[in-house]
Amino acid sequence: MIYREFGNTGIKLSALGFGAMRLPMTEVNGVKTVNYELSTPLMQKAFEMGVNYVDTAPYYCEKNSEIAVGKALKGWRNKVYLSTKNPVENASGADWRKRLETSLEKLDTDYIDFYHMWGISLEAYRDKIDVKDGPLEAAHKAKAEGLIKHLSFSFHDKAENMRPIIDSGQFESVLLQYNLLDRSNEENIEYANKKGLGVVVMGPVGGGRLGAPSEVIKNLIGRDIKSSAEMAMRFVIANKGIHVALSGMENLKMLEENAKIASIEGSLTEAEIGQINAMMIENKKLSDLYCTACRYCLPCPQGINIPHVFSLMNYHKVYELTDYSKAEYKNLYIPMETRTAPWEIDWGVDASKCIECGACEDKCPQKLKIIEQLKETHSVLG
């Protein structure tokens, strides 16, 4: 197992982290819950193989992930670093503290190693977190009491909004999105390193996008790569500015495959990384013929997130990730009122809601036939 210095914390973490958001599930009396008989030995096997970072959150796995992680950490607590998160729902430090105490209880532990302000934006940091009697003050108090060891944040905002949060000097690590298809945080990874923050990546296989069969992804380099997922993990771990790549592992096979990749120092050569970069740039040019995601077409009066819809079509057309594209398109049918996370709200609605008003086409700098392409996308993915 590769281990890397985690920013300025003085801690060495395994290049592979166990993401506890896709644990084996079971149904009890019609209610879905974690299958603890499977999840506990699976996580403990990961610890035996050298994984020393486990990441969870209050809402994962029908709100049972923290309980599952707590069970798995029995006998391992002083050898494994624990990460969980606090959803900043308001500007109340007292409410933030209650959520922390609930997590400690569910995890059955006295402290959390890396505690994240969950999925924050720059606006949320300024308006809800760094305020009088707010979450940041509550976090410093909890840290002084030893309830948390390191204060962290996870990030889903626009890439350009991360640096001010890093520059606040309040955080020791960041959890961010990065993979072959989404490299918007590449410069932020380098910047976080310069500022001494540890960097953990979520979605190294693109939340499942790069786990789907794709000869385009698999063949990015000439030598034998068994799957798109392997290619994606190798790419992320080859970036030495990334200290931990989280993987949501559901079974022993996934664990063994990822642990093997995370044990190959220099799993990609500089020449191979350069080749991947060149090919991905070329693929990006192909996808840009469809939509550059400039967002000038928004807002759509019907609530369609046109760039997001077209990005799903790009995964199908350019990268051959058709199954994933269709599965993600189904998310657009979820009623807006049931969505809670900010990145879910940004999904918008499906393309069939287009009323052909033409407002988007008037604003498109590329003069794309958006209405026609929305119809095509819905016919293929809907």
Side-chain angles (χ1 to χ4, degrees):
M1 182 67 64
I2 299 167
Y3 294 90
R4 292 174 174 167
E5 293 282 348
F6 197 54
N8 290 340
T9 65
I11 296 169
K12 278 195 169 185
L13 293 180
S14 54
L16 174 65
F18 199 109
M21 69 179 298
R22 294 187 178 91
L23 296 173
M25 303 292 287
T26 190
E27 196 168 300
V28 179
N29 298 324
V31 178
K32 290 183 82 173
T33 186
V34 174
N35 186 325
Y36 302 113
E37 292 182 3
L38 294 177
S39 65
T40 298
L42 178 63
M43 283 187 273
Q44 292 184 343
K45 180 65 176 177
F47 303 155
E48 290 170 9
M49 296 172 76
V51 174
N52 70 349
Y53 186 93
V54 59
D55 176 85
T56 182
Y59 299 151
Y60 292 172
C61 301
E62 305 293 330
K63 301 184 179 180
N64 291 305
S65 177
E66 287 184 323
I67 295 171
V69 169
K71 291 178 182 293
L73 284 173
K74 293 292 181 287
W76 289 92
R77 187 65 191 91
N78 62 342
K79 300 174 184 176
V80 175
Y81 295 92
L82 169 63
S83 159
T84 191
K85 311 173 186 79
N86 193 319
V88 182
E89 297 171 351
N90 53 40
S92 167
D95 288 350
W96 187 93
R97 174 68 179 230
K98 289 175 185 176
R99 293 190 294 273
L100 166 62
E101 291 172 349
T102 298
S103 285
L104 287 167
E105 184 178 345
K106 291 174 75 173
L107 288 159
D108 195 18
T109 187
D110 296 328
Y111 67 95
I112 295 163
D113 296 287
F114 295 96
Y115 199 48
H116 293 74
M117 301 283 185
W118 191 6
I120 66 172
S121 64
L122 179 57
E123 181 181 11
Y125 177 75
R126 290 171 173 168
D127 296 348
K128 291 183 179 179
I129 296 170
D130 189 10
V131 296
K132 181 174 173 54
D133 298 325
L136 189 60
E137 287 186 13
H140 283 301
K141 183 179 179 182
K143 190 174 180 182
E145 295 173 34
L147 300 179
I148 58 177
K149 301 297 183 184
H150 306 277
L151 186 58
S152 310
F153 73 99
S154 68
F155 185 83
H156 289 279
D157 197 3
K158 295 176 183 177
E160 61 265 27
N161 288 339
M162 186 184 295
R163 287 196 180 194
I165 299 176
I166 292 174
D167 288 339
S168 72
Q170 300 293 340
F171 301 100
E172 294 175 81
S173 73
V174 56
L175 171 60
L176 53 81
Q177 183 88 17
Y178 179 75
N179 56 64
L180 266 173
L181 296 181
D182 181 2
R183 298 168 63 182
S184 58
N185 281 318
E186 204 153 58
E187 292 182 1
N188 285 331
I189 291 170
E190 183 179 353
Y191 190 73
N193 272 261
K194 286 180 180 177
K195 292 291 186 174
L197 274 71
V199 176
V200 181
V201 161
M202 57 180 140
V205 292
R209 291 194 297 269
L210 295 161
S214 166
E215 290 302 310
V216 174
I217 302 297
K218 181 182 171 184
N219 296 328
L220 282 173
I221 59 175
R223 59 186 164 104
D224 182 45
I225 299 290
K226 292 180 181 178
S227 67
S228 304
E230 180 183 344
M231 181 73 257
M233 282 294 289
R234 282 188 182 226
F235 175 78
V236 170
I237 290 175
N239 186 331
K240 293 183 180 178
I242 295 166
H243 305 114
V244 181
L246 287 180
S247 179
M249 295 173 282
E250 302 173 27
N251 54 56
L252 184 60
K253 182 174 182 288
M254 293 174 69
L255 169 60
E256 290 176 340
E257 289 174 352
N258 285 331
K260 183 178 179 180
I261 295 167
S263 300
I264 308 170
E265 190 69 68
S267 58
L268 293 174
T269 66
E270 290 298 321
E272 286 172 335
I273 292 172
Q275 184 178 341
I276 290 170
N277 288 339
M279 293 180 75
M280 293 303 289
I281 289 170
E282 191 60 34
N283 285 344
K284 180 68 167 59
K285 288 178 182 176
L286 289 174
S287 60
D288 282 352
L289 293 174
Y290 204 75
C291 172
T292 63
C294 69
R295 301 179 70 86
Y296 289 165
C297 59
L298 299 180
C300 164
Q302 293 300 105
I304 302 170
N305 184 330
I306 297 166
H308 178 64
V309 168
F310 286 169
S311 74
L312 297 180
M313 193 62 166
N314 284 339
Y315 294 143
H316 157 67
K317 282 185 137 182
V318 180
Y319 301 104
E320 299 177 357
L321 297 168
T322 304
D323 290 345
Y324 174 83
S325 296
K326 289 182 175 180
E328 282 298 290
Y329 193 79
K330 286 182 181 178
N331 288 330
L332 304 181
Y333 293 100
I334 298 174
M336 294 288 285
E337 60 269 17
T338 67
R339 306 180 194 177
T340 55
W343 53 94
E344 289 179 335
I345 299 299
D346 196 48
W347 282 341
V349 299
D350 71 273
S352 71
K353 304 301 188 293
C354 174
I355 58 172
E356 303 185 27
C357 67
C360 54
E361 293 190 353
D362 291 340
K363 294 183 284 186
C364 178
Q366 290 183 281
K367 302 305 177 186
L368 295 176
K369 296 180 179 179
I370 295 175
I371 295 171
E372 184 179 312
Q373 291 182 2
L374 284 173
K375 288 179 180 178
E376 179 194 3
T377 299
H378 189 71
S379 69
V380 173
L381 303 181

